[in-house]
Amino acid sequence: MRKIILLLLCFIFTCQWSVQALDWAYSFVVWKGNVYEVTDEKVSDIGDVIGKVRRGTNDMTGEYFGDASNMYPKGTKYYEIMGVSTKNAIAVEVGDNEWHKAVFVHKVPNHWMENVIIVLFFVVLITIAIIIMLRINNKRKM
C-alpha cells in the first residue's frame, strides 16, 4: 500500500498541468478590418456612431475577427472624431460622456471564420435559387 501511495505522489508531482493565457500588450478595438490601439487621450469632438464591439477575443489563442475588442465589452460604441480621418483614429466610448482616442495600428490578419460566413451566404443564396427554379419548373409541368 505504501508503494502505491508513493508512486501516486511521485506521479502527481512529476506531471505538469499548464494553463496558458495571453497578456495583451495594449487595449484595442477592431473596426472595418483595422486594429486601433485605445490610448488614454480623451476626446471631446465626437461625430457620428460608426460601429460597435460585436465580439470579444480568444484569450487563449489570441484570435479575433470582425468588430472585436480585447478589453471592451460587446456593445461598446465607436465614433468618428471631428476633423480626423477614420483611417488614422476613431473614438471609443469608455464611460458616460467619456471617449478615448484609438489610433490605427495595422490591418487585421484574415481569419478563417470570415471566409466561412461568406461561403455560407453564397450556399444559402444558391440553395434558394435552386428551390425557386424547381418550383417554377414543377408548375410548368402541371
Side-chain angles (χ1 to χ4, degrees):
M1 183 69 164
R2 285 185 180 176
K3 288 183 181 181
I4 293 174
I5 293 173
L6 185 61
L7 283 171
L8 186 60
L9 286 174
C10 288
F11 177 74
I12 290 172
F13 288 117
T14 58
C15 288
Q16 294 180 355
W17 290 287
S18 64
V19 175
Q20 296 177 335
L22 291 175
D23 186 20
W24 297 98
Y26 53 85
S27 300
F28 67 84
V29 294
V30 180
W31 177 66
K32 286 195 172 182
N34 297 320
V35 176
Y36 295 85
E37 179 181 354
V38 181
T39 66
D40 291 332
E41 183 181 342
K42 292 183 179 182
V43 181
S44 58
D45 296 334
I46 301 301
D48 295 330
V49 174
I50 55 174
K52 67 181 179 178
V53 176
R54 297 189 186 279
R55 60 186 50 86
T57 57
N58 186 325
D59 290 334
M60 295 298 185
T61 63
E63 291 183 342
Y64 54 90
F65 71 98
D67 292 345
S69 177
N70 65 341
M71 296 292 176
Y72 296 97
K74 292 178 185 177
T76 301
K77 294 179 182 173
Y78 310 146
Y79 295 83
E80 63 181 347
I81 302 172
M82 302 302 281
V84 178
S85 170
T86 55
K87 292 180 182 179
N88 297 325
I90 61 173
V92 177
E93 186 177 40
V94 295
D96 291 335
N97 293 323
E98 186 177 352
W99 303 272
H100 284 191
K101 187 176 189 177
V103 294
F104 174 78
V105 180
H106 60 81
K107 288 281 201 188
V108 174
N110 283 341
H111 189 272
W112 66 269
M113 193 66 172
E114 293 171 353
N115 297 332
V116 168
I117 292 170
I118 293 169
V119 169
L120 237 149
F121 172 75
F122 283 110
V123 166
V124 168
L125 196 65
I126 291 169
T127 304
I128 291 171
I130 290 172
I131 290 171
I132 291 171
M133 287 174 30
L134 288 173
R135 287 190 175 194
I136 291 171
N137 199 14
N138 284 340
K139 285 183 181 180
R140 286 183 182 167
K141 287 181 180 180
M142 293 181 165

